[in-house]
Amino acid sequence: MSVIKKCLFPAAGYGTRFLPATKSMPKEMLPIVTKPLIQYGVEEAMDAGISEIAIVTGRGKRAIEDHFDISYELEHQIAGSDKEELLQSTRDIMERCIFSYTRQVEMKGLGHAILVGETLIGREPFAVVLADDYCITEGDGVLTQMVKLYEKYQCSIVAIEEVPEDETYRYGVIEGDLEEDNIYRVRNMVEKPAPEDAPSNLAIIGRYILSADIFDVIRNTPPGKNGEMQITDALQLQAQQGKVIGYRFTGRRFDCGSVDGFIEATNFTYQSQSG
Ligand code: UTP
């Protein structure tokens, strides 16, 4: 059995890029064709052998909890019809996973959201999925690939991908030494650098494995860009001790936190399902 048993989903952000759609609906519930983004993330975690799902929510995010619960009235209504099949995937998830939730009361950044999740994780290494990064792979899912890597390196791991140089300002960007094919020992990380300040074009995307001490590290990290607690700044402290691996995963990522990425993912998925 995998040593990574829990996956944290920070899902408290406002999702302002999707207003007005996200005024009262969580961004994580936006569907790619018929399945909400967060369900793809939970399925990826399950494929990696993880069954404890911890979600950091906030105001207006109750639909996430309802999604991973029984809807008696609806299920009664469609019982015996061919529509029953459409709920099979959520039933499977509910049978195999345990969900726990906590709320981030003030949105003080991703690092802060992860710290809020400490109460659900405890003191053990864990995975983090940002559900708006929707990843498609042909073989193992991205988290499965990363869990395998954790068994070897036993330290924090960030998923990275090459981005166009004029887009580095949207990501945490790493500088590192190649250890093996697609695997970097991270030396330095910069949050949202301008292209001229970026140490590389290798950007961190929304999949992490974090070592058990990360909460202490976040607590000791001063607020960074925009006064927010950035996970990149905390990881930078671990990187200085050689304890962060950057992994260029196999697969394709869609940035579904942006309208363009969301539409692209929708078209791609629809075409692959219907063709
Ligand atoms: P984003 O940077 O995409 O921010 O957060 P956002 O608020 O969700 O969306 P926009 O930019 O306003 O459109 C990255 C991830 O971190 C979570 C978000 O839910 C998202 O999964 N997050 C961010 C929190 O949980 N809490 C925060 O305080 C900030």
Side-chain angles (χ1 to χ4, degrees):
M1 206 184 133
S2 161
V3 61
I4 306 294
K5 299 188 190 67
K6 298 183 182 175
C7 184
L8 185 70
F9 288 76
Y14 290 120
T16 52
R17 283 168 288 173
F18 275 92
L19 284 171
T22 46
K23 189 173 173 218
S24 65
M25 186 188 81
K27 165 171 84 170
E28 295 75 13
M29 289 300 293
L30 287 169
I32 300 296
V33 189
T34 55
K35 204 186 273 185
L37 282 168
I38 193 154
Q39 186 176 335
Y40 287 105
V42 169
E43 288 174 355
E44 190 184 318
M46 276 165 70
D47 288 344
I50 295 171
S51 59
E52 293 180 52
I53 308 294
I55 307 187
V56 177
T57 66
R59 285 177 292 283
K61 300 275 186 170
R62 264 190 221 160
I64 296 176
E65 290 174 57
D66 289 341
H67 185 71
F68 297 110
D69 200 348
I70 292 172
S71 170
Y72 283 107
E73 198 179 317
L74 174 67
E75 298 197 21
H76 174 74
Q77 194 68 33
I78 63 175
S81 80
D82 52 3
K83 297 218 172 86
E84 233 184 326
E85 180 61 25
L86 300 175
L87 286 182
Q88 195 53 48
S89 62
T90 48
R91 273 198 209 114
D92 289 347
I93 291 174
M94 279 147 50
E95 264 168 34
R96 287 173 49 197
C97 296
I98 295 173
F99 285 80
S100 60
Y101 298 88
T102 190
R103 277 196 184 206
Q104 187 186 19
V105 175
E106 287 178 283
M107 310 326 160
K108 293 197 228 163
L110 178 57
H112 182 254
I114 291 174
L115 186 57
V116 166
E118 181 178 20
T119 182
L120 306 176
I121 300 293
R123 203 166 177 85
E124 60 186 275
F126 61 102
V128 174
V129 168
L130 306 185
D132 48 3
D133 269 341
Y134 166 64
C135 294
I136 292 179
T137 54
E138 280 183 4
D140 285 347
V142 181
L143 272 192
T144 305
Q145 298 171 36
M146 292 173 77
V147 165
K148 283 183 184 162
L149 210 58
Y150 181 82
E151 277 155 23
K152 174 165 183 195
Y153 285 96
Q154 303 277 325
C155 67
S156 291
I157 303 174
V158 294
I160 51 175
E161 73 170 15
E162 278 190 58
V163 297
E165 273 159 28
D166 58 354
E167 286 183 19
T168 53
Y169 71 94
R170 295 170 49 196
Y171 300 92
V173 173
I174 70 145
E175 181 178 11
D177 303 312
L178 200 60
E179 286 258 330
E180 310 174 38
D181 270 0
N182 299 319
I183 298 172
Y184 294 79
R185 179 77 60 179
V186 179
R187 253 184 295 125
N188 186 22
M189 314 178 130
V190 189
E191 180 64 15
K192 300 191 169 72
E196 58 275 22
D197 301 327
S200 73
N201 67 338
L202 294 172
I204 302 172
I205 64 120
R207 299 288 183 280
Y208 306 77
I209 301 232
L210 299 177
S211 56
D213 61 336
I214 194 73
F215 299 117
D216 293 335
V217 181
I218 298 173
R219 258 190 290 276
N220 292 322
T221 307
K225 213 154 198 159
N226 308 327
E228 291 187 339
M229 284 167 94
Q230 306 288 359
I231 188 62
T232 313
D233 294 338
L235 283 165
Q236 163 74 350
L237 294 178
Q238 290 190 324
Q240 283 163 353
Q241 298 163 357
K243 290 182 180 161
V244 179
I245 291 292
Y247 172 53
R248 241 169 89 172
F249 64 96
T250 307
R252 179 164 178 195
R253 174 197 68 115
F254 295 92
D255 173 13
C256 293
S258 75
V259 174
D260 287 352
F262 178 77
I263 299 297
E264 220 180 304
T266 303
N267 289 337
F268 181 91
T269 307
Y270 180 70
Q271 269 155 23
S272 47
Q273 284 177 2
S274 56

